[in-house]
Amino acid sequence: MKKLQLLQKILDNGVVAVLRGDSADQVFTLAEQAIAGGIKVIEITMTVPGALKAIEKLSRMYSWKADAADNFAIIGAGTVLEPQTARAAIMAGAEFVVGPSLNPETVKICNLYRVPVLPGVTTLEGIQHALELGVDIVKLFPGNLYDPSIIKTLKGPMPQANIMPTGGVSLDNLGEWIKAGAVAVGIGSDLTTEALKTGDYGLVRQKAEQYMEAFYQAKQQ
């Protein structure tokens, strides 16, 4: 049941902050600001030095439960390439796993632990393979290769696919992606670049608030 509840929470909140940085401490600070701004789904990429440390600390602080109040977040691991890294992330507290591509063994280990897994796909063949493996949400990556109309094209033959574009999603086009049928979106550099350049991490909170407002507006239309 927890996996289904987590999946529903991800869909309800709709915006996944994909966080990269130079250290565990830096991405921890980015995550705190994103959460304060209303983004409740946080993906710490495994390219971050000490990523597992950040995942462990955040998962302890923002542990999600079915009856959780507003002060929660769902902490996951991103850029997971193989099952060994997936298991390490899960043991550190990751509640979902994201990959840039579809690795069947990674999907299997996540299924074993009943943890949502979102592999990256770019084709109908990839989506079909993911569905056959039991994947609930596929990540359309890199999303900047397409425009939002691709969602309708992909869902024509596979209306059962839940698609989350990541890469190239911005405040300008988030609404278009949601209206086109995306179940959620992944936000990366657009959320954090300005803050990392200036050292003003409060900018992440401001941007997060804008993203969540844009998401909820799009869902209501």
Side-chain angles (χ1 to χ4, degrees):
M1 287 295 293
K2 182 180 179 182
K3 178 183 177 182
L4 296 177
Q5 291 167 340
L6 279 169
L7 285 165
Q8 190 59 56
K9 276 291 182 183
I10 291 171
L11 297 180
D12 288 345
N13 287 277
V15 177
V16 180
V18 183
L19 302 181
R20 297 180 174 84
D22 296 328
S23 68
D25 289 340
Q26 187 180 64
V27 294
F28 178 83
T29 301
L30 293 172
E32 282 195 308
Q33 291 296 323
I35 293 167
I39 295 180
K40 300 296 188 179
V41 189
I42 305 295
E43 175 189 331
I44 305 297
T45 68
M46 295 304 294
T47 54
V48 176
L52 293 178
K53 176 183 174 184
I55 290 170
E56 184 175 8
K57 186 176 180 181
L58 287 164
S59 64
R60 284 201 311 267
M61 287 187 63
Y62 297 99
S63 179
W64 178 84
K65 296 181 176 62
D67 59 351
D70 288 339
N71 187 31
F72 77 92
I74 300 169
I75 309 301
T79 321
V80 175
L81 303 178
E82 27 64 39
Q84 292 83 0
T85 300
R87 186 180 186 280
I90 293 167
M91 293 301 102
E95 295 183 292
F96 66 96
V97 170
V98 184
S101 59
L102 175 59
N103 180 280
E105 296 306 312
T106 298
V107 174
K108 290 177 184 177
I109 198 74
C110 291
N111 286 342
L112 176 64
Y113 287 99
R114 303 302 295 154
V115 170
V117 56
L118 293 73
V121 297
T122 56
T123 64
L124 281 170
E125 181 182 13
I127 293 174
Q128 180 172 335
H129 193 187
L131 294 177
E132 290 169 349
L133 290 168
V135 170
D136 296 290
I137 302 173
V138 294
K139 179 177 80 166
L140 183 65
F141 180 78
N144 55 10
L145 293 181
Y146 309 96
D147 65 57
S149 65
I150 189 65
I151 300 286
K152 183 178 180 180
T153 301
L154 294 172
K155 288 178 74 70
M158 291 191 186
Q160 71 274 31
N162 295 313
I163 301 172
M164 180 184 80
T166 302
V169 179
S170 67
L171 283 170
D172 292 333
N173 63 24
L174 183 151
E176 294 178 48
W177 281 108
I178 297 300
K179 293 173 192 174
V183 297
V185 295
I187 306 298
S189 59
D190 188 61
L191 178 66
T192 60
T193 296
E194 191 175 356
L196 291 173
K197 283 182 179 178
T198 63
D200 183 359
Y201 290 89
L203 294 173
V204 174
R205 177 173 182 166
Q206 295 174 22
K207 207 70 174 288
E209 291 172 347
Q210 293 170 355
Y211 268 109
M212 293 311 302
E213 182 180 358
F215 171 73
Y216 290 130
Q217 285 182 353
K219 290 290 285 185
Q220 290 171 2
Q221 295 177 3

